[in-house]
Amino acid sequence: MALVVLAIARALLTLVPAMTGWAFNLQRFLPPWAWLLWALAALALAPPIARRLVPPLARFGDWIARTPLAAGALAIAVMVGLVLLLPDQVRFVGDFLLRQGTADEALPPSTLFPQALPLDVLLHYRLPRAMADLGWADANGTARLLGAFEAACFAWLALRFARVNGLNGAPATAATTVVLFGGYLGMFTGFGKAFAEMCVIAAGIGVFGVEAVRTGRGLLPLGVCLAAGVTLHRSALAFVPAVMLAWAFWLGSHGRQGAWRRPDVLAAALVPVATLAVMIPKIVAVVRRFDAVHFAPAAVTRAGGVLPAAFAGARPYDLLSLIAMLSPLALAAPLLIVALGRAPARRREFWTLLALALPMLATMPFIHPVGGLVRDWDDFAALGVTLSLLTAWLIGEALRAAPVRAWVAAGVVLGAAMPTVQWLVHHTNVDFGLRRAEALMSEPPPRSPEERAATFDYIGQRNEGLGRFADAARAFGRAAETAPSPRILLLWGILESAAGNHAGAQQAFRRVTEKDSTQLAAWLGLAAASTRLRQYDEGRRAVERALAIDPRNQDGRSILRAIERAEAVTPER
């Protein structure tokens, strides 16, 4: 039922000129052939076709159970191929451009993102700088290579999840696919930030937590995953309840007769505890200094409180779309829980996976990213992994309990894989990506001033990087409508000048000087634009203000000499 509803929504919302369901209308911003992916997923919902797909799905599931090395090699090859062949060229998510620029230009990370924890800085600043110094790859190339490695680890964990849960046949294939394919794969296509590794950490905690609960093994890698997580990003503290619950279940079933004294068990406890002891003071300091902006922004004040702001404006639609984009079948999880009755409640694996997902899911409505939920979805990528793990477990159990319904596995596999592949394809085309970003801010539902400013700022920067100066200037002009900061106005003026629109540049530079009369670049820009428009009196006044700030400025003296030559040839009337 959920698969049918999702397929219909993806088709119908593509035809609606609005961005309310932005996770479902992606085909508006894809080449026409991408409809074939939707059609394949829709056809797999027809029982006669789905039943023909059961034998190959069952064989692959048995392959996962019996020959994990060969199945793992294939899954790794597919995932690595996807993320390498479909790199993110749109670079819309989060602070993609800022992080990449920091590494490319060797800017101090402590200045631009002082909240970054040690492993984040090592992987996404020091490693790219080392690769660039050796001449092997730039920042984006390094991020893509690292993403390919992480995609390989993720694929291995997805297959291990099916084996740990004792799945085979079509249920194993379905569960593996649900874990493998989610919008979070976009984190492995060139995004240089800790949220990419956090997806692998979340998968590791889910897999090894279930393994510890079911078999008594997996405690040491579980502890290593948590330790790595808290050195990567402060949000890894959300994994602590699931790890503690897994330990509680392990102690109840496997910790008797002195098993907790084994060296590997002691190490499994010591590694995360010691790491937490070292990192918690740093994390607390970062949270107190930087995270207020995510929980108490202007939106909370406008809405009249934390709870009203959590679901104000377009946020309910954005939250729903965010879950559907990150974990395509997660919206079916509540139906599965109802359908399975009391069975999940009797299983410790269910409670472990639920404890992994709930902390992030519960805080999700109260987080207000600076760029909005649509753009800063990287903040929630690890949540998507935890939802996929829970959904995959439910699907695996449902299919295992009803072998006569094995044909549903075909719809599950294609229903998870095809939307995710569409997202990866979309992010390889910068024109489609920019068109979608502008539609998000121009079409219903209305967006907050902060979202509009941040998104048009991004559109301006991306167009500037592509040499599309007129488009960049137009975007910065739109950003200035809601956030006329000196930086935005200055960039608007610079891009108008680069596009040859000197009147527009003059207007933008004037507004900068009205806001901040100490801006040397704005006075110089105003002088140059006025001179090109043959408004020599204004040009002279502007250059004199610039030289008052910096008497030795050579650009200002050059503009002044140009004005004098022009007046000598054609005096102003």
Side-chain angles (χ1 to χ4, degrees):
M1 290 169 58
L3 287 167
V4 169
V5 170
L6 289 170
I8 293 172
R10 293 184 195 283
L12 294 183
L13 291 179
T14 301
L15 308 175
V16 177
M19 297 300 290
T20 307
W22 53 263
F24 304 96
N25 68 355
L26 184 65
Q27 289 164 165
R28 279 183 60 190
F29 310 98
L30 285 171
W33 62 261
W35 275 94
L36 292 175
L37 299 176
W38 176 88
L40 287 172
L43 286 172
L45 299 176
I49 296 174
R51 288 191 178 96
R52 292 180 177 272
L53 297 175
V54 170
L57 294 178
R59 283 195 294 271
F60 184 73
D62 290 337
W63 199 31
I64 292 173
R66 295 172 185 169
T67 55
L69 289 178
L74 177 60
I76 287 171
V78 170
M79 289 297 102
V80 170
L82 272 177
V83 300
L84 287 180
L85 292 173
L86 300 174
D88 188 345
Q89 302 291 359
V90 180
R91 302 174 185 179
F92 178 56
V93 60
D95 47 8
F96 194 125
L97 298 178
L98 175 63
R99 285 295 189 117
Q100 183 171 300
T102 301
D104 275 335
E105 299 177 26
L107 300 173
S110 58
T111 301
L112 291 176
F113 40 94
Q115 72 275 27
L117 297 185
L119 193 51
D120 184 9
V121 175
L122 174 65
L123 293 175
H124 301 298
Y125 180 78
R126 303 198 187 283
L127 179 60
R129 287 308 314 153
M131 295 284 279
D133 291 342
L134 292 169
W136 292 352
D138 61 7
N140 186 253
T142 303
R144 290 182 59 201
L145 290 172
L146 184 61
F149 172 75
E150 291 162 354
C153 296
F154 195 84
W156 180 81
L157 287 167
L159 267 70
R160 189 177 182 90
F161 183 75
R163 294 198 307 276
V164 162
N165 281 289
L167 296 173
N168 55 23
T173 303
T176 299
T177 306
V178 170
V179 176
L180 273 179
F181 288 93
Y184 38 77
L185 284 186
M187 294 285 94
F188 306 139
T189 57
F191 185 60
K193 196 173 179 180
F195 291 129
E197 292 78 30
M198 287 293 291
C199 291
V200 182
I201 295 294
I205 289 177
V207 170
F208 297 122
V210 168
E211 186 172 9
V213 166
R214 282 179 63 91
T215 69
R217 299 185 297 272
L219 284 179
L220 183 56
L222 178 65
V224 170
C225 284
L226 181 58
V230 296
T231 61
L232 266 169
H233 197 270
R234 55 200 180 275
S235 62
L237 291 178
F239 300 146
V240 171
V243 173
M244 293 178 65
L245 186 60
W247 267 95
F249 285 140
W250 182 89
L251 288 169
S253 300
H254 307 282
R256 298 170 186 172
Q257 300 176 350
W260 60 270
R261 297 190 182 94
R262 295 200 318 258
D264 61 317
V265 175
L266 293 175
L270 181 61
V271 168
V273 169
T275 307
L276 283 166
V278 173
M279 292 304 303
I280 279 181
K282 167 73 172 174
I283 291 173
V284 169
V286 167
V287 169
R288 294 180 63 182
R289 183 177 177 188
F290 296 100
D291 281 351
V293 68
H294 296 301
F295 292 97
V300 174
T301 303
R302 285 197 300 268
V306 173
L307 191 58
F311 303 99
R315 283 182 63 84
Y317 311 112
D318 288 347
L319 291 167
L320 185 67
S321 283
L322 191 54
I323 290 173
M325 186 270 282
L326 289 172
S327 182
L329 302 188
L331 297 177
L335 296 176
L336 285 165
I337 292 173
V338 172
L340 289 169
R342 297 180 181 178
R346 300 191 188 103
R347 301 288 295 278
R348 293 171 297 176
E349 303 94 307
F350 170 75
W351 292 108
T352 302
L353 293 172
L354 188 64
L356 182 61
L358 273 182
M360 287 186 170
L361 187 63
T363 57
M364 183 186 185
F366 305 102
I367 298 174
H368 298 264
V370 175
L373 294 171
V374 178
R375 184 178 178 198
D376 287 347
W377 60 263
D378 56 313
D379 291 357
F380 308 94
L383 166 64
V385 175
T386 67
L387 292 174
S388 289
L389 289 166
L390 179 60
T391 305
W393 185 85
L394 291 166
I395 287 172
E397 293 304 308
L399 290 173
R400 177 157 54 187
V404 71
R405 305 276 182 164
W407 59 270
V408 178
V412 168
V413 168
L414 292 173
M418 293 309 175
T420 300
V421 173
Q422 285 184 327
W423 278 107
L424 296 179
V425 169
H426 168 75
H427 282 105
T428 64
N429 190 304
V430 69
D431 291 320
F432 289 146
L434 289 172
R435 187 158 62 89
R436 176 175 172 271
E438 189 151 349
L440 282 163
M441 296 301 111
S442 305
E443 296 180 7
R447 298 288 167 182
S448 70
E450 295 81 11
E451 285 181 85
R452 289 175 55 80
T455 302
F456 281 116
D457 189 350
Y458 152 79
I459 295 172
Q461 291 184 58
R462 195 71 187 97
N463 276 306
E464 179 187 7
L466 296 169
R468 303 172 181 177
F469 300 126
D471 290 337
R474 183 174 61 86
F476 281 119
R478 297 289 300 274
E481 293 173 2
T482 53
S485 67
R487 185 188 72 85
I488 292 290
L489 293 170
L490 185 62
L491 288 169
W492 180 20
I494 292 171
L495 270 299
E496 291 285 17
S497 292
N501 181 9
H502 304 304
Q506 185 185 54
Q507 175 190 359
F509 289 133
R510 278 177 184 158
R511 290 181 64 182
V512 180
T513 60
E514 290 167 1
K515 283 185 167 291
D516 184 357
S517 61
T518 65
Q519 285 270 358
L520 174 64
W523 287 115
L524 291 172
L526 178 58
S530 299
T531 301
R532 293 188 181 102
L533 292 170
R534 299 184 180 182
Q535 298 176 11
Y536 301 124
D537 286 346
E538 182 164 7
R540 185 185 295 279
R541 285 194 296 271
V543 79
E544 287 173 352
R545 293 294 300 270
L547 291 173
I549 297 170
D550 180 8
R552 297 182 180 181
N553 187 275
Q554 294 302 312
D555 290 333
R557 293 187 176 279
S558 296
I559 295 171
L560 188 58
R561 287 194 294 270
I563 292 173
E564 291 170 350
R565 286 195 300 270
E567 286 180 331
V569 175
T570 309
E572 271 195 307
R573 295 180 180 178

